[in-house]
Structure formats: C-alpha cells, structure tokens
C-alpha cells in the first residue's frame, strides 16, 4: 500500500508536464505507419525553409480510426490534418466536416495526374474537400511453387481449378466473413467483368447487376468444383492469408502491402502478383483503397495544413517517403522512373489507373447487406435470389440517407 | 450533537467522494446521452428536438430485434456456463489442501489477459486449417469424415465457440468473488454441520451456498450485465456473422453511432440497454435479498 | 474434508485437468511469441518452438516507428532522402514510455479506488448513513450501461475540464467504473464483520477513520485485495478510453501501442508474432501484481478466522 503510493508519487515527478515550443504546431491524425516518415520529411523541409511550423503525428492506426475521429469531431477536438479512410470521406464532406480545398488542388500542375476515383471520392457537389493521399490497391497474389502461371481469364481459372481439385489441393480462398476484405478483393473481379455495386452517383444500389451476378456464380462454381475450402463462407481474412503463407493455398486476393508480407515466408512461398480480370480476361480492375487527406473544420492552422498536404503530394513526399515504404503513388506521372516501383508494385500501380471505389455517404451501413450476401451465396444459396433481396435492403438504406 | 446525528454526518462525508465521482463521470454523461436520444444529433451544428422519433426508428428496425434476441440467447447460455465453472473452481480452491494457492492463480490467469488479445488468440486456435482446438475436435470425431470442421459455420456453433472462450476468460472473475465470500464464512458453521453428520454435498447445499448469497448475487449481476453488453468477443471473432446471426446489442449500437453516424438512435439504444439491465438487476437483487 | 482422504486422487485429478485446459491457450500464446514466422503458420503445429527467436520482443521493446519502416525496405536505407530529427517523436523508446503511462494510470486507479470504495462501502454498511439503499442503487448504475455509448458526452466533459490527454482523466474514469464492484465487495466484506468489534473500539474512544484502518480493514482484507486486483485489471487492460481520450504520442497507453504494432501497416494485416509477444508483455505485470497480492490473501484468511 505505502509502496504503491510511493511509486505513484515518484512516477508523477518523472513526467514532463508541458512541452515548451514556440513554433506553430500542426496536429496530424493518421492511419498508415509511413506517416511518421512523411511528418519527419515535412518537419525537415520546414526547418530548411526557416518556417516555424512543427508537425506532430498522432498515429492512430487503421483499427477503430473511425470511432476515434467521429468522437473527436462531435466533441470539437482540434485536428489540423486528417488521413481518412477514403470510403468514409463522402459522408464527412456531405455534413460539412471538411474544409474546401478546391482552389489549392486546381492550382497544382499535377492536378490531372491525380488518381481519378480517389479525387472523385473527396469531392461533393463539385467542390474538393479531400486530396488523394495513399493508395492501397488490390490484386491477386499467387504462389509460383504451386501455380507457375496465373490464370488469364475465368475459363482458365475454372480448368485450373479442376486440376487442383483432382489433385486434392486448394487453389483459392477468400474471406467471405470480412465485408471489408470482400469489397477489397472480391468486388473488383466483378468490376473487371463490367459489374457494379452502386451507381456512380451513389443513388442506386446495383448489387444484382447481371455482370455482378456472373462473378458470384463463377466463384460459387469454384467452390462446387472443390478447389476452394468448403467452409469459405465463414472464412476471415487471416484464414486465407495464413493458408497462403503456409503454402497450402495457391492464389488469394490481397493488396500491395502483401509484397512486404511475403518476404518473411520465402521458404514456402514464391510470390507473383497479377491484376483481377473479367470473364474474358480483356479488362482488369482493382479496389483503390487507402487514405484521402483532408483538413477538418476543427483545424487551428489551415495554412500550415495546406503546406503539409502540398508536401504529401509532392515528388519528395510521394516517391521518397510513400513509394519507398511500399506504397503506390497517387500521381500517375510518378510511375515512370520511380526507383522504388518494382515489377510487383507496377502490377498494382497499373491496376490503380483502371480501378474503382464506390461513392456513397452510407458506405458502412451498406456493408451489412453486403456481408450477408457474401456469406449466404458462398454457403450455397441461389445467387440471383440473394442478390435481389440484399440489393433491396441496400436501396432502402441509400434512400433513408445518412 | 447526538451520536446518531454525528454518525449520519460522518457517513455522508465518507460516501461523498464516491457520489461526486459518480455524478461527474457517470450521471452527467448519462443525462447528456439521454438528452441526445430525443434529438436528431448531427456531428456538427444544431441538434433538433424530435421527441420519440429515435426510439420509434429503433423499434421499427429489424436489426434491433435480431440483435436483442441474440443477446438474450447468448446471456442465457453463457451465464450458467460461467457460474458452474466459477463455483466449482471456487470450492476446489477453498478446500484446505496443498496447492490451492497455485490452482487459484492458474484459474485466475486468463482474466488478466487483455480481452482483445484473448479473442484474437482464440480466433487463431479455432482456425479451420491451423487451429489446435479444431485439430483436437476433429480428432474426437467432430466435423465428419472429411475433417472440415469450422466452428463459425452456423450462428449456433459460433455462439458456443465464443461461449467457451468467454468461460475460459472470465470464470476467474466470478471465482475470485466467490472465494472472497467463502473466506468470510467462519469455520464454526462447517464444524456445526459436521457435528450434525451432514455429508459434503449437504454441507455445500445447506450451509455454504446460502451464506454465499451476497457473493453469488454480485457474481451473477456482473456476469449478466457483462453478457448483455457483449461486444469485443463478437466483433473480433464472428464479426456478427454468419449473416448477422451473432450480432449483439452493443455491436448494433456502435455500428449505429460510429459507423452509420446516427448519434441520436445510438443514444436511444444506450438508454434501452440501460433500462433492460436495470430491470434485470433489480429482479436479481430482490431474489437474493436476505437478512445476512 | 480431510475425512474423505480417498477422494484426494479425484481432487488433484480434476484440478490438474483444469489447469492443463486453462493454461493451454496461454502456453500457446507464449510459445508462439518465440517462433519464427515460418514456424508460426504451418499445417504441422509444433508444441514448442524449434527455432527460438526474440525478434518480436526486440521489436516491441526497442520499437522505433521510423526504423521499422526503413527495415521493410529491401534496399540499403543509407541513401534515404529523409533525415530523421528525433525531437518530436519517441525515438527507439519502444513501449517503455507507454508502459510507464499504463503503470501510472493503474497505480492511480488502484489507490483512488480503494480509498473511495472503502469509505463508501463502510458508510453504506456499518454507519447509519441516510438514504443508504438509494445511494447503493445509484452506485451500482455504471455497470448497467456500456461505456462506449457514453463516449461522446464523456469526451465533451473531459474537454471542458481540461482532462483529455491526461493520466488523471483516465484515472478518474476508471475509478468511477470500479465503483459498483468495489463498493459491492467492500460492503459484503464489512457486513461479515461482527458489529461488536466496532462497538468495543468506540467505547475506547476511537474515531471512525481509526476504526476503519485498525479494526475493520484488517478483517476485510480478502475483499480489499479483490478490489485492488480488479482495479488493476480494469485500468491496465482498458482499450477504448485510452484509445479515444489520449491524443499525444507521449501519453499513449501500453495496449494501444501494442495493438498498433500487432496490426502492422495495413488494415487487414495481423502479425501473430507481434500480437502474442505483445500480449505476454502486457500480461506479465498484472500477473506479478496478482502473485504479489496472493501472500496477503493467505494472511487475510487467517485474519477472518478470528473468533469473537
């Protein structure tokens, strides 16, 4: 007891109470680990230019960023720059949580080179509220030890599947239980096939689009052939990723971050990457995930914030910081001659130019019917029936609005 | 000043720190939340009074009823599991025998692990291809000849899988509450019972359990409150699936507030959970009330 | 129980079976934290690490956010275009600082909880406090509502009080959360003490505080220790409050840091090695605290056996 009190008092005295600095502080909330580098680079640049701005990175991570950011906004907490999961940006823009940055973006020489779908997600009613920042692009990873060459179209995928099933091996798996995982690595296959999830304006649910139906049927067929785990309807992201890394599954959908993950598992995995393809293999697609960067209206340093965003979008930020740490640049003009873009990265970089990301202000709520659709279909229910039903629920949610 | 009056004053003084803390960090936010539940509450800007609209919206929402039903089923199944293991281990550890301190420490170990980590680790143990538990279950014949057992396959099996994890994780809490209660029972009672020639089970039933009432009440109240508020274990392990069959009330509340940004309805859900738990707790307190 | 000595076989058989079942997931966590990545995920699970590695512990203890990112880059990082200035980040401090933060908050919560709950439990049991039953019901209330549904009002309140981003804010919230269990336990503990003991002390002219510390508390030790263990448990393992209410890197709590390390760079990744090592790191202090208190549990038992 006394010991505890003593420890407590001692520890209080160790605490440095206030950080004294005369510089203007810029409070940055971010999700990706690479943001530490970005902030360091920015601080150095500011110091070099003799500007009295110091950025402080509050690295929150991906898990529950949403909860923290929402609570902070509701309580009026000061945040100068926020890296927001791009799918949630339309909602924040719609409710007026973000500062207008249209003039700033349009005045940049590389405006036309910015990733289109990401830029679109950051705008509302023709005004830009957020800039592309960091792209997480999806695609297939395959193990060359089990599958020397990836399939080029769905017919080849099906025949390879039959071979795997005949040998009693697993060819593919996907995380039906993880709605985020399915829209990231499942839906783009339907997009490549010409399918749709919601309409471009986000007003109409199009889950039962004939081309989307085709994709679900194709994947369902792979389960029936037997090269996909029978219980794939209840698999989560780690299930199939662990299966791949252990050398038991030949091909899974994943993202560009996988390029770094496989480096720890070279014993069993010789990884190759390829883009998602439609049924005839003529078109590719990807889910362009990642962060948009925005200035919340609770900011206390808008000018400095714009300065930071300018650095993030600059060559120094995109190449020397972001690409160097395994990311895909969000400016198309930075693909060529980029020393950090390996062939593997280029698969994702190229996919990002033809990829997509749905625009809706009720994204999170739509995840509910989406997850149900995936789990029911991959458990063997009739594709059309399930999609019609879940599409109706999605439409209802869209109509109710945020 | 009379002795009684002085004692009353001292009593009020002593209970005041607790009451002040409670008022500031619980009642005030609670009243705020209650106030929010009658408003359309945007993240920004002026809240608008909407009366009971949020509650009506909640009650008309199928997702609410599904999660309510599941939460009750979960509570009804996990509470007896927890209690049986807890009272069993508590009695085992209260025996005058060599090694009770060791056993008690072991039984309490899982409690102190963080809940999120425990959920992730069990998720891994349950993994269809690499999970040791699944491996063991298949060895004992579960999952049929193909050995393709997946505990998340149906809502029911998912629930039992989570129940097993929760029992492992939390029975230690109840055990330690019950042990504290057991230790407060004086030896004379046991000696008297022994003198009357009662068997071991008769002693437990007629002496130990009745004297344990306050501790049992506390253990059950905590366990039921905890189960009705189940969140982390299901978010991490089942994600509410398959097909929303294991979505709990609190998961629904968090979705409503932080994913769908419907702060008003989320607040009304909080109030509803509180009312449900209040009723359940008052019932339990009445059932266990006794002059001890 | 001694009479049934033939049953001791059963007694130990049951106990040891339970011990094995309960220990297994923890054992699995422990050995996993020492396995190399390739041994970690494999269809032939190994029941002890064949190839010991301390890489996850090293990473956690000496965690440098910037260095980690540099390491993932295959090329030599000498040519980095960005120089690191270490003024505004936790340079290579790993989780030492977060560890301290969590220790401070836990110690604060334990101390405040036992003071508040002892006084409150005493007033609501032994003394003739007015409105006793009403106060008791009031104090039980916090277990009836999930903490997460009060997050937004609580955030606003902390902000108005200037307590966001402080240890004190978390200590007060945790103590408030401990009130139901703490006061309930202390009430039960005081209830089982014969009232004659207090009357004797009063005749000797002791004040109420003196009676609590010298007469009542020594007899209520099992209850008190239980409250301490729970206070530690609640504050040490808290995730959501620490996550929401702390904004600056230097005040980050242990669990938050460990989770960030385990979840790695992408929203889908799960690093089993870092996760298990992290959970062992957060597990040890609370185990030590509990084992430390165990000795007093035993003393408490003999204490309560005092005959009237």
């Amino acid at each position: 007891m006394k010991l505890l009190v003593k420890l407590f008092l001692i520890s209080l005295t160790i605490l440095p109470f206030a950080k004294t600095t005369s510089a203007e502080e810029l409070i940055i909330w971010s999700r990706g680990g690479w943001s530490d580098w970005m902030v360091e680079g920015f601080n150095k640049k500011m110091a070099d230019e003799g500007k009295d701005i110091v950025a402080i990175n509050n690295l929150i991570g991906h898990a529950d960023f949403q909860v923290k950011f929402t609570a902070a906004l509701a309580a009026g907490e000061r945040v100068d720059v926020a890296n927001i999961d791009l799918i949630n940006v339309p909602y924040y823009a719609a409710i007026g949580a973000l500062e207008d940055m249209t003039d700033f973006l349009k005045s940049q020489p590389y405006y036309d080179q910015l990733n289109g779908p990401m830029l679109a997600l950051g705008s509302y009613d023709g005004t830009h509220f957020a800039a592309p920042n960091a792209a997480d692009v999806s695609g297939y990873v395959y193990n060359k030890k089990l599958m020397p060459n990836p399939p080029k179209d769905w017919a080849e995928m099906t025949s390879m599947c039959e071979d795997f099933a005949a040998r009693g091996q697993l060819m593919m798996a996907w995380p039906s239980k993880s709605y985020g995982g399915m829209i990231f690595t499942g839906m783009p296959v339907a997009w490549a096939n010409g399918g749709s999830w919601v309409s471009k304006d986000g007003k109409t649910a199009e889950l039962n689009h004939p081309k989307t139906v085709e994709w679900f049927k194709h994947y369902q067929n792979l389960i029936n052939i037997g090269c996909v785990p029978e219980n794939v309807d209840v698999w989560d992201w780690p299930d199939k990723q662990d299966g791949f890394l252990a050398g038991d599954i030949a091909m899974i959908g994943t993202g560009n971050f996988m390029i770094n993950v496989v480096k720890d598992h070279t014993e069993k995995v010789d990884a190759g990457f390829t883009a998602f393809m439609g049924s005839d293999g003529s078109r590719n697609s990807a889910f362009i995930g990642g962060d948009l960067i925005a200035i919340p209206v609770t900011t206390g340093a808008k000018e400095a914030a714009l300065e930071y965003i300018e650095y993030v979008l600059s060559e120094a930020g995109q190449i020397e910081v972001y690409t160097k740490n395994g990311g895909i640049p969000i400016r198309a003009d930075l693909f060529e001659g980029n020393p950090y873009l390996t062939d593997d990265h280029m698969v994702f970089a190229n996919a990002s130019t033809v990829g997509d990301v749905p625009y809706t202000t009720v994204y999170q709520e739509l995840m509910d019917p989406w997850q149900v659709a995936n789990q029911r279909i991959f458990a063997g229910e009739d594709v059309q029936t399930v999609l019609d039903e879940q599409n109706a629920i999605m439409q209802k949610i869209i109509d109710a609005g945020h | 000043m009379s002795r009684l009056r002085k004692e009353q004053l001292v009593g009020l003084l002593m209970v005041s720190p607790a009451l002040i803390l409670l008022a500031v960090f619980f009642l005030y936010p609670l009243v705020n939340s209650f106030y929010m539940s009658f408003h359309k509450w945007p993240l920004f800007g002026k809240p608008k009074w909407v009366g009971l609209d949020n509650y009506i919206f909640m009650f008309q929402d199928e997702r609410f009823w599904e999660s309510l039903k599941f939460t009750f089923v979960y509570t009804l199944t996990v509470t007896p599991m927890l209690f049986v293991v807890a009272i069993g281990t508590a009695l085992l550890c209260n025996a005058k025998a060599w090694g009770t301190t060791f056993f008690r420490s072991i039984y309490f170990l899982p409690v102190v692990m963080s809940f999120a980590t425990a959920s992730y680790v069990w998720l891994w143990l349950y993994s269809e291809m690499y999970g040791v538990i699944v491996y063991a279950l298949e060895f004992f014949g579960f999952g049929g000849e193909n050995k393709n057992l997946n505990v998340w396959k149906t809502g029911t099996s998912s629930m039992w899988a989570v129940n097993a994890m929760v029992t492992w994780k939390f029975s230690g809490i109840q055990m330690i509450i019950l042990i504290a209660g057991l230790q407060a029972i004086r030896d004379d009672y046991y000696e008297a019972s022994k003198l009357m020639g009662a068997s071991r089970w008769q002693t437990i039933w007629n002496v130990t359990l009745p004297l344990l009432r306050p501790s049992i009440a506390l253990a059950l109240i905590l366990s039921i409150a905890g189960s009705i508020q189940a969140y982390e274990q299901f978010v991490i392990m089942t994600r509410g699936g398959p097909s929303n069959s294991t979505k709990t009330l609190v998961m629904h509340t968090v979705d409503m507030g932080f994913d769908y940004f419907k702060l008003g309805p989320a607040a009304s859900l909080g109030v509803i959970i509180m009312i449900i738990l209040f009723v359940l707790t008052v019932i339990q307190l009445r059932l266990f009330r006794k002059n001890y | 129980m001694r009479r049934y000595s033939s049953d001791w076989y059963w007694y130990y058989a049951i106990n040891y079976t339970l011990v094995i079942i309960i220990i297994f997931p923890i054992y699995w966590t422990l050995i996993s934290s020492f396995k190399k990545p390739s041994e970690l995920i494999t269809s032939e699970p190994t029941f002890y690490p064949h190839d010991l590695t301390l890489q996850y512990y090293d990473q956690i203890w000496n965690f440098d956010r910037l260095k980690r990112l540099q390491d993932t880059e295959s090329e030599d990082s000498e040519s980095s275009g960005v120089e690191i200035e270490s003024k505004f980040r936790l340079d290579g401090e790993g989780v030492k600082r977060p560890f301290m933060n969590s220790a401070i908050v836990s110690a604060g919560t334990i101390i405040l909880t036992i003071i508040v709950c002892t006084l409150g439990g005493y007033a609501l049991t032994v003394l003739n406090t007015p409105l006793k039953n009403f106060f008791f019901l009031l104090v039980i209330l916090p277990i009836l509502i999930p903490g997460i549904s009060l997050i937004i009002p609580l955030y606003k309140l902390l902000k108005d009080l200037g307590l966001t981003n402080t240890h004190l804010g978390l200590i007060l919230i945790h103590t408030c959360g401990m009130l139901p269990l703490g006061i309930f336990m202390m009430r039960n503990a005081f209830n089982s003490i014969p009232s004659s003991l207090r009357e004797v002390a009063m005749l000797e002219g002791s004040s109420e505080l003196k009676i609590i510390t010298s007469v009542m508390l020594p007899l209520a030790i099992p209850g008190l220790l239980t409250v301490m263990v729970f206070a530690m448990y609640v504050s040490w393992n808290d995730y959501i409050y620490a996550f929401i209410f702390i904004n600056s890197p230097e005040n980050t709590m242990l669990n938050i840091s460990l989770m960030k390390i385990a979840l790695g760079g992408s929203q889908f990744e799960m690093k089993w090695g870092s996760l298990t090592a992290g959970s062992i790191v957060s597990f040890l202090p609370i185990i030590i605290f509990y084992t430390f208190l165990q000795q007093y549990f035993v003393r408490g038992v003999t204490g309560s056996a005092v005959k009237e």
Side-chain angles (χ1 to χ4, degrees):
Chain A
M1 178 66 202
K2 267 182 193 151
L3 183 73
L4 277 178
V5 178
K6 251 184 231 164
L7 274 178
F8 183 60
L9 289 177
I10 293 169
S11 56
L12 276 183
T13 56
I14 307 173
L15 275 183
F17 274 101
K19 195 169 50 189
T20 47
T21 168
S22 60
E24 182 178 9
E25 286 189 358
L26 187 66
I27 299 160
I28 295 167
W29 281 25
S30 47
R31 304 198 317 145
W34 51 268
S35 55
D36 277 327
W37 280 101
M38 197 66 90
V39 168
E40 287 299 322
F42 173 74
N43 282 340
K44 177 151 192 305
K45 180 171 176 250
M46 288 299 105
D48 289 349
E49 290 174 9
K51 285 184 185 153
D52 222 6
I53 299 173
V54 172
I56 296 165
N57 189 26
N58 183 10
L59 175 60
I60 293 162
H62 294 86
D64 301 323
F65 181 92
Q66 185 73 8
V67 175
K68 186 167 166 72
F69 189 55
T70 306
L73 280 180
E77 176 81 35
R78 176 182 158 185
V79 182
D80 296 324
V81 176
N83 299 281
I84 310 169
D85 190 351
L86 79 176
I87 41 125
N88 290 315
V89 173
Y91 169 77
Y92 290 122
I95 60 163
L98 309 173
E99 296 273 351
D100 181 353
M101 57 166 83
T102 315
D103 296 341
F104 165 78
L105 278 180
K106 288 202 167 150
S107 68
Q108 303 302 326
Y110 48 77
Y111 178 71
D112 299 332
Q113 302 292 329
L114 291 170
N115 184 292
M118 289 180 97
L119 199 59
L121 232 59
S123 50
Y124 185 77
D125 272 351
T127 308
H128 290 299
F129 290 100
N133 175 24
D136 271 335
V137 186
S138 57
Y140 286 125
V141 60
Y142 61 98
N143 188 349
K144 289 175 190 162
K145 293 182 180 178
L146 302 171
M147 180 193 272
N149 289 300
K152 291 187 183 55
D153 53 40
W154 291 5
E156 199 183 344
M157 197 186 284
T158 309
S159 72
M160 286 170 86
C161 178
E162 281 157 358
D163 296 344
F164 269 85
R167 292 199 300 271
Q169 286 182 327
L170 293 175
M171 181 175 89
M172 270 180 84
W174 49 85
S176 317
K177 188 167 148 187
S178 160
Y179 46 79
M182 282 318 286
I183 199 147
F184 188 61
T185 61
M187 200 55 215
V189 187
W191 284 333
N193 193 40
S196 175
W197 196 68
V198 294
S199 60
K200 280 267 173 257
D201 60 2
K203 295 274 194 292
T204 320
E206 294 178 343
L207 190 62
N208 57 355
H209 189 284
K211 294 286 179 184
T212 309
V213 175
E214 261 179 37
W215 165 66
F216 271 112
K217 283 189 170 152
H218 169 55
Y219 265 33
Q220 209 182 38
N221 186 40
L222 296 180
I223 304 177
N224 293 337
I225 293 173
C227 68
V228 175
E230 206 180 320
N231 294 320
V232 78
D233 60 310
V234 285
W235 273 38
D236 205 342
W237 187 276
D239 291 321
K240 56 108 195 172
Q241 178 155 318
D242 293 350
F244 179 81
L245 294 175
D248 293 330
I249 295 169
M251 183 165 95
I252 56 169
T254 186
N256 49 286
F257 49 83
M258 194 69 175
I259 298 172
N260 282 334
V261 176
V262 292
K263 284 177 188 161
D264 277 342
H265 300 267
T266 44
E267 262 175 57
K268 287 170 186 156
V269 179
D270 179 10
F273 297 87
T274 186
F276 296 125
M277 75 300 272
S279 71
D280 59 1
S282 65
R283 276 182 57 188
N284 291 334
S285 189
F287 187 98
I288 307 168
D291 299 353
L292 297 186
I293 193 165
I295 307 172
V297 287
T298 54
T299 179
K302 196 184 168 186
E303 288 310 309
L306 281 176
E307 193 120 24
Y308 177 73
I309 293 173
E310 192 171 355
Y311 176 74
V312 169
L313 297 177
S314 72
E315 271 178 48
Q318 284 295 314
I319 296 180
E320 287 304 329
V321 180
Y322 186 52
T323 322
K324 186 166 185 284
N325 283 297
I328 305 296
I330 44 78
R331 276 168 58 182
D333 58 328
L334 299 181
F335 290 167
E336 209 147 309
N338 189 327
Y340 306 109
L341 283 183
T342 61
D343 290 348
D344 288 343
H345 287 97
M346 279 315 289
V347 171
F348 294 99
N350 289 330
S352 77
T353 59
V354 290
D356 205 352
V357 51
Y359 185 102
T360 161
T361 56
V362 287
Y363 179 86
Q364 299 281 2
E365 208 166 351
L366 294 179
M367 286 296 104
D368 207 58
W370 164 245
Q371 186 198 27
V372 173
N374 276 287
Q375 292 208 282
R376 283 176 57 187
I377 288 173
F378 297 131
E381 288 191 45
D382 180 62
V383 176
Q384 192 69 50
T385 320
V386 173
L387 289 184
D388 285 344
E389 255 176 62
Q390 298 306 312
N391 192 65
I393 296 175
M394 282 174 73
Q395 190 60 50
K396 214 172 111 192
I397 292 168
I398 293 172
D399 292 342
H402 54 264
Chain B
M1 207 158 40
S2 74
R3 192 184 138 185
L4 179 69
R5 177 58 58 86
K6 194 179 157 218
E7 195 179 307
Q8 287 184 335
L9 270 179
V10 172
L12 281 178
L13 206 67
M14 284 185 171
V15 80
S16 59
L19 292 180
I20 291 170
L21 264 178
L22 192 74
V24 176
F25 291 98
F26 178 71
L27 293 177
Y28 175 78
L30 182 69
V31 169
N32 254 297
S33 184
F34 195 64
Y35 179 77
M36 274 171 87
S37 74
F38 293 103
H39 289 76
K40 186 174 169 58
W41 199 280
L43 275 185
F44 292 108
K46 261 201 149 50
K48 202 176 117 224
W49 173 267
V50 292
L52 286 172
D53 277 11
N54 289 329
Y55 290 88
I56 294 167
F57 174 79
M58 272 343 309
F59 287 132
Q60 283 175 348
D61 192 345
E62 218 176 286
R63 293 173 294 191
F64 167 73
W65 295 106
E66 277 171 20
S67 60
L68 183 71
K69 194 180 134 212
F70 174 70
T71 306
F72 275 122
V73 173
Y74 167 69
T75 305
L76 281 177
T77 52
V78 82
T79 305
M81 281 172 82
L82 274 167
F83 185 74
V84 168
V85 174
I87 190 92
T89 47
L91 288 172
L92 283 175
C93 291
N94 202 46
K96 288 190 177 61
W98 174 86
T100 48
T101 317
F102 168 72
F103 294 138
R104 185 172 54 201
S105 308
I106 299 293
Y107 299 156
F108 191 72
L109 266 185
V111 171
V112 296
M113 200 171 198
S114 109
F115 200 14
T117 320
S119 305
Y120 280 119
V121 168
W122 275 70
L123 189 62
W124 193 23
L125 296 176
Y126 278 136
S127 152
E128 182 180 338
M129 289 175 80
Y130 311 111
V132 184
I133 293 180
V134 171
Y135 188 77
L137 286 174
E138 282 172 352
F139 181 79
F140 289 113
F142 289 89
E145 281 178 13
N146 297 336
K147 304 224 169 193
N148 56 356
L149 180 73
N150 189 311
V151 294
W152 313 116
K153 194 69 181 176
T154 67
T156 319
S157 63
S158 299
M159 187 187 74
W160 288 112
V162 172
N163 283 3
M165 188 277 278
V166 169
T167 306
W168 172 80
K169 174 81 176 68
F170 283 120
S171 60
I173 288 197
Q174 295 195 23
M175 179 195 76
I176 205 168
I177 291 171
L178 294 173
I179 287 179
L182 282 170
Q183 290 183 343
I185 300 175
R186 289 191 300 274
D187 288 345
D188 356 350
Y189 290 107
Y190 295 121
E191 278 156 24
S193 170
K194 215 168 167 183
L195 282 177
M196 288 162 77
S199 77
R200 190 171 14 169
W201 293 111
Q202 280 171 332
T203 307
I204 290 176
W205 191 253
N206 295 325
V207 179
T208 317
L209 288 183
L211 285 169
L212 259 186
R213 275 172 101 119
S215 301
I216 294 176
L218 175 61
L220 284 184
I221 287 172
L222 280 178
S223 133
I224 288 178
S227 317
I228 295 278
Q229 296 176 29
Y231 173 66
E232 248 169 321
Q233 63 269 51
F234 287 102
V235 164
I236 293 171
M237 296 177 82
T238 73
R239 294 177 191 264
S243 304
N244 278 347
S245 54
T246 58
K247 204 161 190 180
T248 65
L249 266 181
V250 175
M251 267 171 96
H252 184 53
T253 312
V254 174
D255 280 357
M256 218 17 109
F258 296 106
D259 280 349
Y260 311 164
F261 309 104
K262 294 184 167 122
L263 300 186
S268 73
L269 266 171
V271 173
I272 291 168
I273 294 175
M274 170 136 184
I275 291 171
I276 292 172
L277 275 175
F278 186 78
V279 172
L280 286 177
T281 305
V282 169
I283 292 173
Q284 291 180 76
L285 280 176
R286 289 207 170 242
L287 282 179
F288 281 97
R289 178 180 288 171
K290 204 192 155 236
N291 310 320
Y292 39 79
Chain C
M1 257 193 169
R2 288 235 169 82
R3 279 199 304 178
Y4 311 95
S5 58
S6 62
D7 289 352
W8 285 121
Y9 292 109
W10 279 110
Y11 178 81
Y12 286 107
I14 294 172
N15 266 317
Y16 280 114
T17 316
L18 278 173
V19 165
I20 290 168
I21 294 172
I22 285 173
I23 280 287
F24 185 75
I26 297 170
Y27 173 72
W28 196 254
T29 311
L30 184 70
I31 57 165
S32 300
S33 69
F34 292 111
K35 288 180 177 175
K36 289 223 159 94
S38 56
E39 195 184 339
L40 212 47
I41 310 165
T42 166
S43 357
E44 301 96 36
T46 49
F47 287 84
Y48 61 93
H50 291 297
D51 202 1
L52 215 68
T53 176
L54 285 173
Q55 67 185 84
Y56 312 115
Y57 289 96
D58 179 61
Q59 187 198 20
I60 286 170
W61 207 244
N62 303 309
F63 187 54
D64 180 337
R65 275 155 48 169
L66 297 191
K67 195 159 152 285
R68 174 186 61 131
L69 290 157
Q70 212 167 19
D71 286 343
T72 60
E73 184 54 48
S74 53
E75 288 171 59
D76 225 353
S77 47
E78 293 301 314
S79 62
S80 162
V82 185
E83 294 266 318
I84 305 158
E85 276 185 59
S86 56
K87 215 165 102 200
F88 290 96
R89 63 188 180 81
L90 305 170
D91 191 2
E93 263 196 29
V95 295
K96 289 168 203 124
R97 182 63 180 267
F99 197 93
M100 261 323 268
N101 289 332
S102 282
I104 292 165
V105 168
S106 292
T109 307
I110 292 170
I111 292 165
L112 198 59
T113 301
I114 54 177
I115 294 171
V116 171
C117 292
T118 305
L119 292 178
Y122 190 75
L124 294 182
T125 332
V126 183
L127 299 182
N128 254 317
T129 313
L131 296 173
K132 240 168 152 174
N133 289 330
F134 171 72
F135 285 156
F136 180 61
L137 264 184
L138 212 58
V139 158
I140 294 296
L141 282 181
I143 60 164
L144 302 185
I145 190 157
I148 199 158
S149 51
L150 297 182
I151 284 277
I152 289 177
L154 210 48
Y155 202 137
K156 278 185 184 149
L157 173 75
L158 287 180
K159 204 160 173 289
D160 291 343
L161 297 174
L163 289 175
T164 42
N165 214 6
T166 62
H167 295 136
L168 184 61
L170 289 181
I171 292 173
L172 292 173
I173 290 176
H174 292 321
T175 307
C176 182
M178 268 303 292
L179 285 178
L181 183 73
I183 290 194
F184 208 124
M185 292 258 22
M186 291 317 289
R187 216 176 84 123
N188 285 351
F190 287 132
N191 244 329
S192 63
I193 297 171
S195 57
S196 53
L197 287 182
R198 173 170 170 261
E199 276 149 26
V200 171
M202 288 194 68
L203 286 178
E204 286 167 0
S206 307
S207 70
E208 290 292 352
L209 268 180
K210 184 90 205 292
I211 294 175
I212 293 181
T213 51
S214 61
V215 180
M216 303 301 257
L217 267 190
L219 293 180
I221 275 186
L224 188 75
L225 294 180
T226 316
V227 174
M228 288 172 78
V229 169
F230 281 115
M232 170 93 181
Y233 163 74
V234 164
S235 49
W236 187 262
N237 282 341
D238 161 56
Y239 183 81
I240 192 73
Y241 294 129
F243 177 67
I244 304 277
F245 298 138
I246 298 291
N247 286 324
S248 70
E250 68 266 17
N251 283 345
T252 310
M253 298 289 139
L254 181 65
N255 270 347
I256 314 295
S257 296
L258 292 176
M259 219 39 167
K260 270 177 207 164
I261 298 173
L263 292 176
S266 90
Q267 51 190 323
F268 296 115
E269 219 179 315
M270 169 56 68
K271 297 176 171 168
W272 295 120
S274 310
L275 180 84
T276 49
S279 67
I280 296 296
V281 167
S282 83
F283 198 46
L284 277 181
I286 193 160
I287 281 299
I288 292 168
F289 182 71
Y290 179 70
T291 324
F292 177 72
L293 287 189
Q294 276 274 350
Q295 326 162 20
Y296 297 92
F297 265 112
V298 182
R299 206 177 296 169
V301 178
T302 46
S304 70
V306 175
K307 300 274 158 39
E308 280 175 59

